[in-house]
Every structure is written in C-alpha cells, then in structure tokens.
Amino acid sequence: MSWQYVLELIQNILISQTGVPHMTWGHGVMLLIALFFLYLAVGKGFEPLLLLPIGFGIFLVNFPIVPLMGLNAEGHPNLIEYFYQYGVASEIIPCVIFLGLGAMTDFGPLIANPKMLIIGAGAQLGVFVTYVGVLFFGFTLKEAASVGIIGGADGPTTIYLTAKLAPHLLGANALAAYSYMAMVPLIQPPIMRLMTTPEQRRIKMRQLRPVSAREKLLFPLIGCALIVLLIPMVAPLMGMFMFGNFMRESMMVKRLSDTAQNSLMNIVTIFLGLSVGATMQAEVFLNWKPLLIFGFGLLDFVVCTFGGILTVHIMNVFLKEKINPLIGSAGVSAVPMSARVSHVEGLKADPNNWLMMHAMAPNLAGVIGSAAAAGMMIAMFQ
Amino acid sequence: MRLKQLYIWTMVTALLLAAYSSVWAAFGEDIEKPKPVFTQEGTDWVSELIPRGKSTPIRIRFNVDGGLLSKPSDIDFTDANRPNINWKNYRSGFFLLDIIPSTPGGEVTLNLSSNYFTSATDIWGFTERKNNTWGTIGIKTKSVKDEPTAISSVIRDGSVLDEDGTADGKIQIIIGPRDSFWGYAIGTLIIRFFGVFLVLSILMIGMLLSGKVFISIEKNKKEATPTSPPSAAPVKEEPEVYEAEPVPVEEIPADVAAAIGLGIHLYTNGGRNLRLPDAGMKAAAAVGLALHLEKTSGTE
C-alpha cells in the first residue's frame, strides 16, 4: 500500500462521504435563516410551537448530502420525506390539526351572533387581492391561490391548500403564514386606528345571548351540512373541524376530545413543522419567489384586516344596533390572537368596553371563511 | 417590538426589490406547460393533457371534414416562434396539425371539441406572415347542453395559416385554443370572492333561523317548568330555623387566617384601583380573595 493510495483513499472519503466539500453559500444562507427562525421561536416566543420545528427542519436539511429528504439508493423515502409524504403531501396532518382545532373551539359567540359570519367573509378580501397581485409578478394561477390564502391567517388551511396546488412553495407559505400570525398584534392596530374614529372605537355592544348546550351540539351538524353541500372541496377540512367540535359539544367522549385537542394535536404538530421546514432546501428555496411571498404575505394580512373593518362599516349602515368596527379585524382567523387585539384596542378607547367575546365571533367566522376560500380555490383548479 | 418592526420593514423592502426583479422575470417561467398524449379514435385524434391552472386532465378531440388528419403534436412556444404571443392565454398549449385535403388548394373544416372549451374560447393562428401576427382564425362555436363545446373553422390549402403557404395538397398549421388569462383570473376571482359571501350568508341565515327555533324552545321550556302546585288549603309551615354554629376563634386554621390577612393586605395595598362602592363590599372582596387564595393555595 503506497502513500499515494492512502492519500487517494482519504481524498475519496472526504469528497464522497463527508458534507464539507459540498457546502455551498446557499447552504450557509439557509442555515442562517434556520437560526433566525429558531431565535424568533425560542428567544422571542413567536409561534414557538410551529416555528421551532420548522426552524429545526430547515436547519437539518441544509447540510449537504444528508439522507433526510428525497429517496435513498433503494428508492425508499428518507426519514423526513416519509413524514412529508404521509403527513403533508397526503394532506392528512392539516386535516388532523383541524380536528384538534374543532375540539378546542367554542362556537358559542358565533352562534349567539351569526351576523358576524359576514365579517369573516369580508376579511377574505386580502386573499383575493393578493391572488391578483402575485399574478402580476409571474406566479401561476395555482401558486397565486396558495400565496393568497396566507392572509386568511390560518396555518393548517394555508398548508393544506399549498400542498394541493403548489407544493414547491410550501415552506415559504407556511413560514410567512405563521410569522405574520405571530405579528398580528403589531400589524393590525395601526390599520384599526386608521380606519376607525374614537367614537366608533367606543361603541358598546349588547351582551350576547346565552347559547344552550343543545344548540352548540347541533351547530357542527348544521354548519357542516350547509358548507359541505355548497363547497364539497372543503369537506376534508371542514368535516374534521366540525367532527372535533361535535365530540367536544357532545360531552360524551371527553377522552377522545381531550386526545384530539392535546396529544394528537401535539404529535402531528411536530411532524408538520419538521416536514414543512425540511421542504426549504437551499436549491429549492433560494430564488425570488419566497421573497415575494413574504412581501405579499404582509400585504395580504393588511388587506384582510382592512376588509374586515370595512365590512363592519358597511354593515353598520344597515344595522340599528351598531357593531364596534374594531372587531372587524378579528375576521382574519389567527384565533384567538386577533380577537385579543380587538379587545385590547377597545379597552384603550374605553376601559369599560369588553370586546373579547364579541370579537371571538368574527374570529371563528374567519376560520370558516378562510376554509371556504380555500375550498373555492381548490374547486377552481379541479 | 423593535425586532418585529425591523422584520416588517425588511419584508416591505423585499417586496419592492422583488417588484424590480420581476421586470426580468416578466410573466415567470412556464412550469405548468401541458404535456399532451395523443390517441386515435376512428378518424379522430384525441389529446389528453393537464392544462395550465388545472389539476385534472382534459380531452380535446380533433377531427377534419374534407381531408385526412395525421397524428397531431404539441409544439413549444419558442419553436412556434411567436414572440408577441403571451402563452398564458393558451392554457392547453399549441398544436401542430398536418392535414391532407381531398384536392390540392382545397378547403377542409377543422373541428375541435372539448368539455374544457367555453363559449369564449377562440382558436388563434397566423393572420399575417410578414410580422408573425397572430389572431383568430375565424371560428364557429357550437355549445350543446351536456356535450363538449365544439369549435370549427374552414382552412384552405396555401392560405396564410398554411406553414408552407403554397397550395400543394398538404396543409400544416400551428394553432392554439385561446382563453384570456386575465379575463379568467379576474372573472373567477370576483365570482369566488362573492361566493364566500354567499356561502357564509347562507350559513348565517341557517343559524339565525335555527337560533330562533332554539330560543323559542328554551322559552317554552321555561314556561312549562312547574311552579309550586296549588293546594286547596295551604298549610302554614313553621319555617325551619338554622342557627349558625359559633366558630371558636382558636379553631381557625393558621393558613386560613394567613390567607385572610393576605387578602386584606392585597386589597389595601395592591388593589388601589378597585373602586367598590361601600365598606361592606370592600370587606367582601377582601374575604373572597382570601378564601380564593386559601382554596387554590395561591397557585392561580
């Protein structure tokens, strides 16, 4: 064995079996992005339940030649590819998350004041405005729809629609959606103040009527039937959402309801975050589209907030009992963050004006509205 | 908060930069280019493809009257060399068709039919060779309910549409079924936005109606709840008298006493902003807080 041979062997090992020579500037940039999101999650507490696994997913897959995504030599999916294929690409995880969300949701405020559903529809304005906006920037129709839904401020819906229409944008869309959801307390108040007068912010709303347990129990059945009948494409999301809610309101399957809300939700969240993060490999992610997505995502949130408040102003023209326009901003889903923002802004205008329960109604309507918008988009491209 | 503001401004800058970059990325790359598969059915040729902006395949049937159609093929935008054409308007792509008319210089009728076509679908091809100008080739559309929309056009051997431009008994044409991209994008957008309103409005009406039913049920239930039954001769009962058992001062546990003390302390020092109308309520608030603290051991 000559020294030459030993050197060649070492060289071969270094080149083919270690990642060091394969590192590119792209990997470096992505690792920095991963660290940035991990910092936001851990250091700043921005949506840590999602941003932490997403950040770690980005971190993991941006080392060269790691067998995590794609197929191995035998043609089998690698570890995170398995999570992605079976969880996200198959659209299972977003639906399971909707099951958990349904089990967590109390529809009481919405049932007591169904007019708030209109605010949930109005707050989808940004979804459609962004859809047109990104088309001007060269996005395809399907990509535009998946970017537009970010403004719905509903993570699982965004992931569900993107996985269906533009899976290559999944990482950017999910990150934009969750980042801006965490920033709702910063994005919304200036728009809310801009679009309302101090008098309007002080409008006091009548206390909501009590909703009986039977009414709450029947809501998921009636709601699901109507929505699924009108937009069949939304059945996977809405069906799971209402099933979770039915379990909760039946009060007969507390164990199942608890599991859906807690253990199951936590398990799928881990796999969802990791898989979504893992789609953001340097070679896929580093182009001009994610930049645009983050820019338009912000615009989307702004227009959705605007749309919700504008809808309240229009409704107030026709209503005898006026609605406080601050709750219009809660029409973007971001449950319960945006409702809390409405409440806090209301308290600033009048310390005795408690808007929380009123704002929860358009907030829940926003969940239904964004899912309906997603269903419409899916139907459009069938 | 400053970090969040920085993040938002970064995104706004990114949007502006991206707006600039979109100049070079005008209309993006064609990642949804249709890949048709052609099969023969009798004398007809059928193309199966997934058009741009759709997830499911469609079928386009090609048929010629007064001639013989060879196997069609799809043709790339660049190959077709139509620099002034926006390929986004041609969602099912461009087709190259070879037709042999029954007589040199003769006319054939080209028929295209598909469920994907609408009454607004047009067929475009050459209208002028010198400047590579494209336009409608002059079509007739036939829409019959439950049947694919049929489009037909008369093509003459050697006409401007014919690639060789000579009446030699062979017609080769490049055409594309055209639907306005922006017309579709904006039209469907408006329909779907109002669709969301419509769906939620229907749900709202359903909920308002069911809410009324439930309110009346609850009301009836309350009215039907039996009150004390009337009796012929009301018996005057002696009210039971409960005497509060005196609580020996020495039996108050130390932790309860501490909790009450803490409650009063919190009220007098930490609860300055509480505005209670009278001394009785103040004392009640203090004792209530103390009992709460005692019950929860101060964990809530």
Side-chain angles (χ1 to χ4, degrees):
Chain A
M1 194 193 290
S2 67
W3 278 110
Q4 178 69 20
Y5 176 73
V6 172
L7 280 174
E8 261 179 37
L9 207 61
I10 292 170
Q11 196 182 11
N12 281 344
I13 288 169
L14 277 176
I15 289 173
S16 61
Q17 291 170 27
T18 73
V20 181
H22 302 278
M23 275 298 277
T24 61
W25 68 270
H27 290 123
V29 171
M30 289 310 295
L31 289 174
L32 287 176
I33 291 174
L35 292 176
F36 174 66
F37 281 104
L38 287 173
Y39 169 70
L40 287 185
V42 180
K44 292 287 165 186
F46 287 9
E47 291 278 342
L49 292 177
L50 259 304
L51 286 190
L52 191 145
I54 289 178
F56 209 84
I58 305 171
F59 180 74
L60 272 180
V61 296
N62 281 292
F63 289 101
I65 61 171
V66 286
L68 291 169
M69 288 298 275
L71 305 179
N72 63 17
E74 290 83 43
H76 301 301
N78 287 316
L79 179 70
I80 305 182
E81 183 73 32
Y82 259 121
F83 300 160
Y84 176 77
Q85 289 300 334
Y86 290 99
V88 181
S90 62
E91 297 152 15
I92 290 172
I93 290 182
C95 297
V96 175
I97 289 187
F98 253 65
L99 174 78
L101 289 177
M104 283 179 181
T105 303
D106 175 12
F107 274 110
L110 186 62
I111 299 170
N113 197 357
K115 283 188 216 108
M116 298 294 144
L117 276 164
I118 301 298
I119 303 174
Q124 305 308 314
L125 181 69
V127 173
F128 295 92
V129 168
T130 306
Y131 165 81
V132 174
V134 293
L135 283 179
F136 279 108
F137 286 79
F139 282 62
T140 66
L141 289 168
K142 286 194 219 169
E143 287 176 336
S146 74
V147 176
I149 204 72
I150 292 172
D154 193 329
T157 306
T158 304
I159 291 169
Y160 182 77
L161 188 72
T162 309
K164 227 175 169 67
L165 299 182
H168 54 288
L169 299 182
L170 189 63
N173 281 1
L175 259 186
Y178 283 111
S179 303
Y180 292 131
M181 274 160 67
M183 290 182 196
V184 157
L186 193 77
I187 297 170
Q188 288 195 324
I191 307 158
M192 294 161 82
R193 287 193 284 267
L194 193 73
M195 290 191 65
T196 53
T197 62
E199 288 74 40
Q200 287 170 337
R201 292 200 281 275
R202 281 195 287 270
I203 291 175
K204 279 196 176 165
M205 293 173 69
R206 194 155 55 106
Q207 199 181 348
L208 297 170
R209 72 171 171 89
V211 176
S212 68
R214 194 186 298 169
E215 209 174 343
K216 283 186 182 175
L217 178 67
L218 286 179
F219 173 76
L221 295 176
I222 297 169
C224 185
L226 283 174
I227 295 168
V228 168
L229 210 56
L230 293 166
I231 320 171
M233 286 299 154
V234 83
L237 282 182
M238 203 43 70
M240 287 293 108
F241 190 55
M242 294 303 187
F243 171 49
N245 191 251
F246 190 74
M247 285 201 296
R248 172 199 168 95
E249 298 302 345
S250 73
M251 287 185 275
M252 296 301 285
V253 286
K254 199 171 178 302
R255 275 166 50 197
L256 301 189
S257 176
D258 285 348
T259 305
Q261 291 179 40
N262 301 301
S263 323
L264 185 60
M265 187 88 152
N266 292 341
I267 290 167
V268 294
T269 300
I270 293 171
F271 291 114
L272 177 75
L274 205 57
S275 314
V276 166
T279 61
M280 294 171 63
Q281 291 156 294
E283 52 272 31
V284 181
F285 190 77
L286 288 178
N287 60 58
W288 56 276
K289 274 187 177 168
L291 262 186
L292 269 178
I293 289 168
F294 275 83
F296 269 104
L298 179 59
L299 176 78
D300 208 347
F301 264 70
V302 170
V303 181
C304 281
T305 305
F306 173 86
I309 299 171
L310 181 70
T311 308
V312 176
H313 284 310
I314 296 170
M315 286 171 79
N316 276 345
V317 174
F318 303 99
L319 291 175
K320 267 187 206 165
E321 275 184 40
K322 304 294 179 202
I323 301 170
N324 190 317
L326 289 176
I327 68 167
S329 63
V332 305
S333 331
V335 182
M337 186 84 88
S338 55
R340 214 176 287 149
V341 171
S342 302
H343 175 70
V344 170
E345 288 300 309
L347 283 181
K348 280 180 193 166
D350 177 357
N352 294 316
N353 200 1
W354 296 76
L355 291 173
M356 189 64 194
M357 290 314 284
H358 297 291
M360 278 310 291
N363 212 192
L364 296 170
V367 178
I368 298 174
S370 59
M376 294 261 179
M377 300 284 197
I378 294 168
M380 176 173 160
F381 299 114
Q382 273 308 107
Chain B
M1 209 50 122
R2 230 180 266 153
L3 182 77
K4 284 184 179 177
Q5 278 169 344
L6 177 74
Y7 183 80
I8 286 176
W9 281 111
T10 311
M11 285 308 115
V12 171
T13 316
L15 184 63
L16 294 173
L17 283 173
Y20 176 74
S21 72
S22 74
V23 174
W24 55 261
F27 294 104
E29 64 247 75
D30 189 8
I31 57 172
E32 293 182 319
K33 204 174 93 178
K35 296 177 184 80
V37 175
F38 295 93
T39 49
Q40 194 166 20
E41 291 182 7
T43 54
D44 298 356
W45 283 93
V46 175
S47 163
E48 193 164 314
L49 58 107
I50 299 175
R52 295 180 179 94
K54 260 185 88 74
S55 306
T56 47
I58 61 149
R59 282 160 64 90
I60 300 175
R61 182 175 291 273
F62 296 83
N63 163 271
V64 166
D65 293 332
L68 188 67
L69 176 67
S70 309
K71 185 183 178 183
S73 58
D74 61 313
I75 184 160
D76 218 354
F77 175 70
T78 46
D79 292 346
N81 191 25
R82 314 279 177 264
N84 298 318
I85 303 296
N86 180 5
W87 48 261
K88 287 196 172 183
N89 291 326
Y90 302 86
R91 295 211 303 270
S92 40
F94 300 94
F95 299 99
L96 177 70
L97 307 177
D98 286 303
I99 305 163
I100 299 169
S102 44
T103 54
E107 284 185 342
V108 295
T109 304
L110 174 68
N111 303 302
L112 273 74
S113 62
S114 174
N115 280 322
Y116 184 60
F117 294 160
T118 64
S119 55
T121 307
D122 200 350
I123 306 288
W124 276 35
F126 269 114
T127 52
E128 204 262 312
R129 284 279 165 184
K130 211 174 176 181
N131 300 314
N132 277 345
T133 310
W134 263 40
T136 177
I137 63 170
I139 59 157
K140 277 184 189 165
T141 305
K142 195 176 138 194
S143 293
V144 180
K145 200 184 169 194
D146 299 330
E147 275 185 33
T149 303
I151 297 173
S152 61
S153 179
V154 177
I155 297 157
R156 192 169 48 80
D157 184 16
S159 69
V160 69
L161 262 175
D162 192 354
E163 284 293 301
D164 59 18
T166 53
D168 55 357
K170 280 190 281 182
I171 302 173
Q172 188 177 58
I173 58 170
I174 298 171
I175 53 163
R178 186 184 187 278
D179 291 277
S180 164
F181 173 79
W182 285 105
Y184 173 75
I186 305 285
T188 191
L189 172 92
I190 292 167
I191 293 166
R192 281 164 214 281
F193 180 57
F194 286 103
V196 174
F197 268 99
L198 188 72
V199 169
L200 295 196
S201 299
I202 291 171
L203 183 60
M204 180 187 79
I205 293 165
M207 284 170 71
L208 283 170
L209 292 175
S210 60
K212 279 202 168 42
V213 172
F214 278 110
I215 288 168
S216 70
I217 289 172
E218 293 294 319
K219 203 176 160 189
N220 291 343
K221 213 195 261 178
K222 268 185 195 165
E223 282 171 2
T225 308
T227 49
S228 53
S231 52
V235 181
K236 199 176 178 184
E237 284 180 6
E238 284 293 316
E240 280 188 63
V241 178
Y242 293 99
E243 279 186 19
E245 285 180 27
V247 181
V249 174
E250 62 273 15
E251 279 182 26
I252 295 174
D255 53 354
V256 175
I260 292 172
L262 178 63
I264 293 167
H265 171 77
L266 279 171
Y267 171 66
T268 51
N269 296 291
R272 284 192 194 92
N273 293 332
L274 282 173
R275 299 205 191 286
L276 297 173
D278 57 50
M281 280 190 76
K282 284 177 186 174
V287 173
L289 177 60
L291 289 173
H292 171 73
L293 284 169
E294 188 267 335
K295 193 179 171 189
T296 61
S297 309
T299 51
E300 286 180 25

